[in-house]
Amino acid sequence: MGEPTAVARALERVRRTDPTLCAFLDVWPDRALAREPAAAGLPLAGLPFAVKGPAGLRSYAAGRLVAAGGVPVGATSVPGPGTYWQTWGRGAHGRTVNPWRADRTPGGSSAGSAAAVAAGVVTLATGSDGAGSVRLPAAWCGVFGLKTTNGLLPSPDRSGLASAGVLARSADHAELYLRHVLDGYAPRRVTLPVPAVYSPDLGFADVDPEVARVVAGAVGRLVAAGVVRLLPGGCTLADPAPAWFAVRGGADGEEGRRARGLRADNDRALTALFARAPLLLTPATPNRPHGHEGPGEVYSTALTWAFNVSGHPAASVPAGFTSDGCPVGLQLVADRRRDAWLLAAARAAEEALPPLPRPPLAAG
Protein backbone atom coordinates (compact mmCIF):
# COMPACT_ATOMS: atom_id res chain seq x y z
CA MET A 1 0.00 0.00 0.00
CA GLY A 2 1.41 3.40 -0.99
CA GLU A 3 1.56 6.63 0.95
CA PRO A 4 -1.76 8.45 1.48
CA THR A 5 -2.47 11.12 -1.11
CA ALA A 6 -2.73 14.83 -0.26
CA VAL A 7 -6.51 14.65 -0.35
CA ALA A 8 -6.59 11.54 1.84
CA ARG A 9 -4.33 13.24 4.39
CA ALA A 10 -6.54 16.33 4.43
CA LEU A 11 -9.64 14.21 4.95
CA GLU A 12 -7.95 12.40 7.81
CA ARG A 13 -7.09 15.76 9.40
CA VAL A 14 -10.74 16.77 9.12
CA ARG A 15 -11.80 13.51 10.76
CA ARG A 16 -9.41 13.97 13.69
CA THR A 17 -9.92 17.66 14.38
CA ASP A 18 -13.50 18.50 13.53
CA PRO A 19 -15.27 16.98 16.54
CA THR A 20 -13.41 19.62 18.58
CA LEU A 21 -12.83 22.39 16.05
CA CYS A 22 -16.31 22.25 14.42
CA ALA A 23 -14.94 23.98 11.32
CA PHE A 24 -16.96 22.04 8.72
CA LEU A 25 -20.62 21.93 7.81
CA ASP A 26 -20.15 19.10 5.34
CA VAL A 27 -17.28 16.88 4.15
CA TRP A 28 -17.11 15.11 0.77
CA PRO A 29 -14.61 12.22 1.08
CA ASP A 30 -15.92 10.07 -1.78
CA ARG A 31 -16.20 12.93 -4.27
CA ALA A 32 -12.85 14.39 -3.27
CA LEU A 33 -10.96 11.11 -3.61
CA ALA A 34 -12.67 10.37 -6.92
CA ARG A 35 -11.74 13.79 -8.28
CA GLU A 36 -8.07 13.64 -7.25
CA PRO A 37 -6.60 11.39 -10.00
CA ALA A 38 -7.90 13.57 -12.85
CA ALA A 39 -6.65 16.70 -11.07
CA ALA A 40 -3.09 15.39 -10.81
CA GLY A 41 -2.10 16.63 -14.26
CA LEU A 42 -3.50 20.15 -13.78
CA PRO A 43 -1.64 23.20 -12.36
CA LEU A 44 -2.83 22.77 -8.75
CA ALA A 45 -2.17 19.01 -8.98
CA GLY A 46 -4.93 17.90 -6.63
CA LEU A 47 -4.35 20.53 -3.92
CA PRO A 48 -7.04 20.01 -1.25
CA PHE A 49 -8.94 23.14 -0.26
CA ALA A 50 -12.11 24.07 1.61
CA VAL A 51 -15.00 26.29 0.55
CA LYS A 52 -16.99 28.76 2.63
CA GLY A 53 -20.47 27.76 3.60
CA PRO A 54 -23.16 25.61 2.00
CA ALA A 55 -23.05 27.59 -1.27
CA GLY A 56 -19.26 27.73 -1.42
CA LEU A 57 -18.86 25.04 -4.03
CA ARG A 58 -21.02 27.07 -6.43
CA SER A 59 -18.89 30.21 -6.06
CA TYR A 60 -16.90 31.60 -8.96
CA ALA A 61 -13.62 31.16 -7.08
CA ALA A 62 -14.27 27.51 -6.22
CA GLY A 63 -15.10 26.74 -9.84
CA ARG A 64 -11.88 28.29 -11.03
CA LEU A 65 -9.82 26.42 -8.44
CA VAL A 66 -11.43 23.11 -9.42
CA ALA A 67 -10.75 23.82 -13.10
CA ALA A 68 -7.08 24.38 -12.20
CA GLY A 69 -6.86 21.04 -10.39
CA GLY A 70 -7.82 21.93 -6.84
CA VAL A 71 -9.92 19.39 -4.92
CA PRO A 72 -12.59 20.69 -2.53
CA VAL A 73 -12.84 18.50 0.56
CA GLY A 74 -15.70 20.18 2.38
CA ALA A 75 -17.80 23.25 3.18
CA THR A 76 -16.74 25.29 6.20
CA SER A 77 -18.91 26.77 8.91
CA VAL A 78 -20.63 30.14 8.81
CA PRO A 79 -23.13 31.77 11.20
CA GLY A 80 -26.25 29.66 11.56
CA PRO A 81 -29.72 30.69 10.36
CA GLY A 82 -31.33 33.39 12.47
CA THR A 83 -28.18 34.27 14.42
CA TYR A 84 -27.04 37.82 14.98
CA TRP A 85 -24.18 38.99 12.80
CA GLN A 86 -21.88 38.84 15.83
CA THR A 87 -22.36 35.03 15.97
CA TRP A 88 -19.46 33.61 14.09
CA GLY A 89 -19.80 30.00 13.05
CA ARG A 90 -21.62 26.74 13.57
CA GLY A 91 -20.39 23.50 12.05
CA ALA A 92 -21.89 20.04 11.89
CA HIS A 93 -20.52 19.19 15.35
CA GLY A 94 -21.37 22.48 17.08
CA ARG A 95 -20.06 26.02 17.36
CA THR A 96 -16.71 26.66 15.72
CA VAL A 97 -13.87 27.34 18.12
CA ASN A 98 -10.65 29.27 17.78
CA PRO A 99 -7.70 26.87 17.31
CA TRP A 100 -5.64 28.97 19.73
CA ARG A 101 -8.24 29.12 22.50
CA ALA A 102 -11.38 27.00 22.39
CA ASP A 103 -13.19 29.44 24.66
CA ARG A 104 -12.86 32.17 22.01
CA THR A 105 -14.50 32.68 18.65
CA PRO A 106 -12.46 32.30 15.44
CA GLY A 107 -14.17 35.39 13.98
CA GLY A 108 -16.45 35.40 10.99
CA SER A 109 -18.30 35.05 8.91
CA SER A 110 -15.59 32.94 7.21
CA ALA A 111 -15.25 31.20 10.55
CA GLY A 112 -14.63 27.60 9.57
CA SER A 113 -12.36 28.57 6.67
CA ALA A 114 -10.02 30.44 9.02
CA ALA A 115 -10.12 27.77 11.71
CA ALA A 116 -9.41 24.96 9.23
CA VAL A 117 -6.43 26.79 7.77
CA ALA A 118 -5.06 27.77 11.18
CA ALA A 119 -5.33 24.17 12.40
CA GLY A 120 -3.42 22.90 9.37
CA VAL A 121 -6.34 20.94 7.95
CA VAL A 122 -5.99 22.66 4.54
CA THR A 123 -3.54 25.23 3.20
CA LEU A 124 -6.22 27.49 1.77
CA ALA A 125 -9.95 28.03 1.91
CA THR A 126 -12.28 30.34 0.07
CA GLY A 127 -13.98 33.20 1.86
CA SER A 128 -16.03 36.28 1.18
CA ASP A 129 -15.71 39.64 2.89
CA GLY A 130 -18.63 42.05 3.20
CA ALA A 131 -17.49 43.90 6.32
CA GLY A 132 -14.33 42.09 7.37
CA SER A 133 -15.47 38.48 7.05
CA VAL A 134 -12.08 37.33 5.71
CA ARG A 135 -9.72 39.72 7.49
CA LEU A 136 -11.31 39.45 10.92
CA PRO A 137 -11.09 35.64 11.25
CA ALA A 138 -7.65 35.71 9.60
CA ALA A 139 -6.47 38.08 12.32
CA TRP A 140 -8.02 36.12 15.19
CA CYS A 141 -6.85 32.73 13.90
CA GLY A 142 -3.32 33.86 13.02
CA VAL A 143 -3.47 33.20 9.27
CA PHE A 144 -3.23 35.26 6.10
CA GLY A 145 -6.44 36.73 4.72
CA LEU A 146 -7.04 38.73 1.55
CA LYS A 147 -10.13 40.70 0.49
CA THR A 148 -9.88 41.50 -3.20
CA THR A 149 -10.84 44.81 -4.78
CA ASN A 150 -14.61 45.10 -4.88
CA GLY A 151 -15.87 44.15 -8.34
CA LEU A 152 -12.62 42.50 -9.41
CA LEU A 153 -14.30 39.10 -8.99
CA PRO A 154 -18.03 38.34 -8.96
CA SER A 155 -19.59 39.50 -5.70
CA PRO A 156 -21.69 37.09 -3.65
CA ASP A 157 -23.72 40.08 -2.40
CA ARG A 158 -26.18 42.22 -4.39
CA SER A 159 -25.17 45.37 -2.50
CA GLY A 160 -21.61 45.06 -3.86
CA LEU A 161 -20.11 45.38 -0.38
CA ALA A 162 -18.90 41.77 -0.33
CA SER A 163 -15.81 40.75 -2.23
CA ALA A 164 -14.27 37.35 -2.84
CA GLY A 165 -11.28 36.45 -0.73
CA VAL A 166 -9.06 33.72 0.58
CA LEU A 167 -7.79 32.39 3.92
CA ALA A 168 -4.34 30.83 3.62
CA ARG A 169 -1.34 29.77 5.64
CA SER A 170 0.74 32.47 3.98
CA ALA A 171 0.78 35.04 1.19
CA ASP A 172 2.52 32.44 -0.97
CA HIS A 173 -0.42 30.08 -0.56
CA ALA A 174 -2.83 32.93 -1.23
CA GLU A 175 -1.03 33.54 -4.50
CA LEU A 176 -2.14 30.08 -5.65
CA TYR A 177 -5.69 31.31 -5.23
CA LEU A 178 -5.20 34.65 -7.00
CA ARG A 179 -3.14 33.15 -9.81
CA HIS A 180 -5.89 30.70 -10.76
CA VAL A 181 -8.98 32.73 -9.91
CA LEU A 182 -8.10 36.13 -11.38
CA ASP A 183 -7.85 36.43 -15.17
CA GLY A 184 -4.65 38.14 -16.26
CA TYR A 185 -2.98 37.79 -12.87
CA ALA A 186 0.71 38.65 -13.01
CA PRO A 187 2.98 38.50 -9.95
CA ARG A 188 4.29 41.86 -8.81
CA ARG A 189 7.42 42.85 -6.95
CA VAL A 190 7.80 45.63 -4.42
CA THR A 191 10.78 47.92 -4.04
CA LEU A 192 11.82 48.12 -0.40
CA PRO A 193 11.35 50.06 1.73
CA VAL A 194 7.73 50.69 0.75
CA PRO A 195 6.50 54.19 1.65
CA ALA A 196 3.63 53.62 4.06
CA VAL A 197 1.21 55.44 6.32
CA TYR A 198 0.40 53.94 9.71
CA SER A 199 -2.92 54.69 11.37
CA PRO A 200 -3.58 53.00 14.72
CA ASP A 201 -7.32 53.79 14.67
CA LEU A 202 -8.29 55.41 11.30
CA GLY A 203 -9.19 58.47 13.37
CA PHE A 204 -12.31 57.07 15.03
CA ALA A 205 -11.95 53.50 16.35
CA ASP A 206 -11.52 52.62 20.02
CA VAL A 207 -8.71 50.06 19.90
CA ASP A 208 -7.83 47.67 22.73
CA PRO A 209 -4.51 49.00 24.11
CA GLU A 210 -2.88 45.57 23.95
CA VAL A 211 -3.97 45.05 20.35
CA ALA A 212 -2.57 48.50 19.55
CA ARG A 213 0.70 47.59 21.28
CA VAL A 214 1.13 44.36 19.31
CA VAL A 215 0.40 46.05 15.97
CA ALA A 216 2.68 49.01 16.75
CA GLY A 217 5.44 46.51 17.57
CA ALA A 218 4.92 44.71 14.27
CA VAL A 219 5.06 47.99 12.36
CA GLY A 220 8.26 48.86 14.21
CA ARG A 221 9.82 45.56 13.14
CA LEU A 222 8.86 46.24 9.52
CA VAL A 223 10.56 49.63 9.74
CA ALA A 224 13.67 48.15 11.37
CA ALA A 225 13.85 45.41 8.73
CA GLY A 226 13.67 47.94 5.90
CA VAL A 227 10.32 46.67 4.62
CA VAL A 228 8.44 49.95 5.07
CA ARG A 229 9.36 53.60 5.45
CA LEU A 230 6.74 55.45 7.45
CA LEU A 231 5.64 58.80 6.10
CA PRO A 232 4.51 61.58 8.45
CA GLY A 233 0.82 61.93 9.06
CA GLY A 234 -1.83 59.30 9.51
CA CYS A 235 -5.18 58.46 7.99
CA THR A 236 -8.30 60.07 9.39
CA LEU A 237 -11.63 58.80 8.10
CA ALA A 238 -15.20 59.27 9.22
CA ASP A 239 -16.67 56.22 10.91
CA PRO A 240 -18.06 54.28 7.91
CA ALA A 241 -20.80 52.49 9.88
CA PRO A 242 -23.68 54.73 8.70
CA ALA A 243 -22.57 54.40 5.07
CA TRP A 244 -22.16 50.63 5.34
CA PHE A 245 -25.64 50.15 6.82
CA ALA A 246 -27.18 52.52 4.27
CA VAL A 247 -25.61 50.67 1.34
CA ARG A 248 -26.53 47.32 2.83
CA GLY A 249 -30.13 48.38 3.36
CA GLY A 250 -30.53 50.34 0.15
CA ALA A 251 -31.35 53.55 2.02
CA ASP A 252 -32.63 56.52 0.08
CA GLY A 253 -33.95 59.95 1.02
CA GLU A 254 -32.07 61.96 3.63
CA GLU A 255 -30.37 58.89 5.11
CA GLY A 256 -29.07 57.89 1.69
CA ARG A 257 -27.88 61.43 0.99
CA ARG A 258 -25.90 61.58 4.23
CA ALA A 259 -24.41 58.15 3.55
CA ARG A 260 -23.33 59.18 0.06
CA GLY A 261 -21.70 62.29 1.49
CA LEU A 262 -19.81 60.31 4.13
CA ARG A 263 -18.70 57.81 1.53
CA ALA A 264 -17.50 60.58 -0.81
CA ASP A 265 -15.54 62.25 2.01
CA ASN A 266 -13.77 59.01 2.89
CA ASP A 267 -13.07 58.29 -0.77
CA ARG A 268 -11.42 61.69 -1.14
CA ALA A 269 -9.29 61.08 1.95
CA LEU A 270 -8.18 57.68 0.67
CA THR A 271 -7.46 59.00 -2.83
CA ALA A 272 -5.21 61.66 -1.30
CA LEU A 273 -3.49 59.08 0.90
CA PHE A 274 -2.72 56.65 -1.92
CA ALA A 275 -1.46 59.53 -4.06
CA ARG A 276 1.40 59.98 -1.58
CA ALA A 277 1.90 56.43 -0.28
CA PRO A 278 1.11 53.04 -1.85
CA LEU A 279 0.44 51.29 1.46
CA LEU A 280 -1.74 51.90 4.52
CA LEU A 281 -1.14 49.95 7.75
CA THR A 282 -3.71 49.57 10.55
CA PRO A 283 -4.75 46.96 13.11
CA ALA A 284 -7.10 44.45 11.47
CA THR A 285 -9.51 44.56 14.40
CA PRO A 286 -9.93 46.91 17.35
CA ASN A 287 -10.38 44.01 19.77
CA ARG A 288 -9.02 40.57 20.49
CA PRO A 289 -11.07 37.37 19.98
CA HIS A 290 -14.03 37.42 22.34
CA GLY A 291 -15.90 34.59 23.98
CA HIS A 292 -18.71 32.69 22.28
CA GLU A 293 -21.32 34.86 23.96
CA GLY A 294 -20.41 37.71 21.60
CA PRO A 295 -18.56 41.03 21.63
CA GLY A 296 -21.21 43.06 23.44
CA GLU A 297 -21.43 46.54 21.95
CA VAL A 298 -18.02 46.43 20.27
CA TYR A 299 -17.92 46.49 16.47
CA SER A 300 -15.13 44.07 15.62
CA THR A 301 -15.43 45.32 12.01
CA ALA A 302 -14.62 48.94 12.90
CA LEU A 303 -11.28 48.92 11.05
CA THR A 304 -12.23 46.67 8.14
CA TRP A 305 -15.57 47.75 6.71
CA ALA A 306 -14.32 51.16 5.58
CA PHE A 307 -12.60 49.28 2.75
CA ASN A 308 -15.75 47.34 1.82
CA VAL A 309 -17.49 50.68 1.37
CA SER A 310 -14.53 52.17 -0.55
CA GLY A 311 -13.71 48.96 -2.45
CA HIS A 312 -9.95 48.89 -1.75
CA PRO A 313 -8.11 45.54 -1.48
CA ALA A 314 -6.97 44.71 2.03
CA ALA A 315 -5.12 41.89 3.76
CA SER A 316 -4.46 40.72 7.30
CA VAL A 317 -1.01 39.41 8.25
CA PRO A 318 -0.26 37.79 11.64
CA ALA A 319 1.35 40.43 13.87
CA GLY A 320 1.85 38.60 17.17
CA PHE A 321 -0.11 37.74 20.32
CA THR A 322 -1.80 39.45 23.21
CA SER A 323 -0.76 38.32 26.69
CA ASP A 324 -3.71 35.92 26.87
CA GLY A 325 -2.49 33.97 23.84
CA CYS A 326 -4.75 35.46 21.16
CA PRO A 327 -3.42 36.27 17.68
CA VAL A 328 -3.50 39.85 16.40
CA GLY A 329 -3.63 40.89 12.75
CA LEU A 330 -1.91 43.74 10.92
CA GLN A 331 -4.09 45.11 8.10
CA LEU A 332 -2.44 46.20 4.84
CA VAL A 333 -4.48 48.25 2.37
CA ALA A 334 -3.53 49.29 -1.18
CA ASP A 335 -5.13 51.29 -3.95
CA ARG A 336 -7.95 49.72 -5.94
CA ARG A 337 -7.02 46.92 -8.37
CA ARG A 338 -3.49 46.68 -6.95
CA ASP A 339 -4.23 43.25 -5.49
CA ALA A 340 -1.12 41.56 -6.92
CA TRP A 341 1.07 44.36 -5.60
CA LEU A 342 -0.61 44.15 -2.19
CA LEU A 343 0.07 40.42 -2.11
CA ALA A 344 3.77 41.09 -2.78
CA ALA A 345 3.88 43.72 -0.02
CA ALA A 346 2.19 41.29 2.38
CA ARG A 347 4.75 38.62 1.52
CA ALA A 348 7.57 41.03 2.36
CA ALA A 349 5.88 41.86 5.67
CA GLU A 350 5.42 38.18 6.53
CA GLU A 351 9.09 37.47 5.90
CA ALA A 352 10.11 40.20 8.36
CA LEU A 353 7.74 39.18 11.15
CA PRO A 354 8.28 36.18 13.45
CA PRO A 355 6.42 33.05 12.29
CA LEU A 356 3.64 31.81 14.52
CA PRO A 357 3.92 28.44 16.25
CA ARG A 358 1.32 25.74 15.75
CA PRO A 359 -1.93 26.38 17.66
CA PRO A 360 -2.96 23.98 20.43
CA LEU A 361 -5.81 22.55 18.31
CA ALA A 362 -3.67 22.00 15.21
CA ALA A 363 -3.95 18.76 13.30
CA GLY A 364 -1.19 16.32 14.17
Side-chain angles (χ1 to χ4, degrees):
M1 180 179 294
E3 289 293 317
T5 65
V7 169
R9 293 195 298 272
L11 291 167
E12 174 60 17
R13 291 191 292 268
V14 175
R15 187 193 67 78
R16 291 201 311 270
T17 62
D18 210 53
T20 301
L21 201 61
C22 304
F24 284 84
L25 286 167
D26 199 7
V27 184
W28 312 308
D30 294 340
R31 279 184 285 171
L33 291 169
R35 191 189 299 267
E36 189 174 22
L42 296 171
L44 288 176
L47 176 77
F49 70 97
V51 300
K52 177 184 176 178
L57 197 55
R58 299 194 298 272
S59 70
Y60 176 83
R64 295 298 296 266
L65 292 172
V66 169
V71 177
V73 297
T76 58
S77 64
V78 292
T83 58
Y84 293 108
W85 67 274
Q86 293 98 331
T87 303
W88 301 119
R90 188 166 187 86
H93 295 100
R95 66 188 182 190
T96 310
V97 304
N98 192 305
W100 295 93
R101 286 193 52 162
D103 64 334
R104 306 291 176 94
T105 175
S109 60
S110 304
S113 287
V117 170
V121 176
V122 289
T123 57
L124 66 85
T126 65
S128 59
D129 189 314
S133 291
V134 164
R135 290 160 288 162
L136 199 158
W140 286 355
C141 288
V143 299
F144 179 83
L146 172 69
K147 178 199 88 72
T148 56
T149 298
N150 290 47
L152 191 65
L153 296 166
S155 174
D157 175 50
R158 285 182 292 181
S159 73
L161 288 169
S163 187
V166 62
L167 289 299
R169 290 187 191 173
S170 68
D172 279 336
H173 289 105
E175 187 179 29
L176 293 174
Y177 169 94
L178 211 58
R179 180 184 296 276
H180 296 290
V181 168
L182 181 60
D183 286 333
Y185 172 78
R188 296 291 305 275
R189 300 186 65 173
V190 293
T191 301
L192 303 180
V194 175
V197 170
Y198 171 50
S199 177
D201 57 9
L202 292 178
F204 63 83
D206 183 13
V207 179
D208 179 320
E210 196 166 1
V211 170
R213 176 188 61 77
V214 172
V215 172
V219 171
R221 285 190 289 271
L222 297 183
V223 172
V227 173
V228 301
R229 174 173 59 86
L230 293 184
L231 301 182
C235 176
T236 300
L237 303 177
D239 186 343
W244 190 93
F245 282 112
V247 173
R248 184 73 170 179
D252 51 17
E254 180 61 21
E255 182 185 359
R257 186 191 65 78
R258 288 196 302 269
R260 287 191 296 273
L262 188 158
R263 189 175 189 177
D265 288 344
N266 279 356
D267 279 351
R268 281 190 288 270
L270 290 168
T271 297
L273 185 148
F274 288 118
R276 68 187 182 95
L279 187 64
L280 170 63
L281 304 172
T282 80
T285 66
N287 53 333
R288 67 190 79 188
H290 53 75
H292 294 281
E293 73 284 354
E297 299 301 313
V298 175
Y299 278 87
S300 304
T301 56
L303 294 164
T304 52
W305 56 3
F307 308 109
N308 296 90
V309 175
S310 71
H312 291 81
S316 179
V317 171
F321 294 90
T322 53
S323 60
D324 56 354
C326 294
V328 173
L330 168 66
Q331 181 172 225
L332 293 78
V333 188
D335 209 353
R336 298 180 187 94
R337 306 188 75 85
R338 299 202 72 196
D339 301 62
W341 183 91
L342 177 62
L343 194 60
R347 181 185 294 110
E350 277 187 341
E351 291 172 353
L353 295 173
L356 269 57
R358 291 166 59 83
L361 296 185

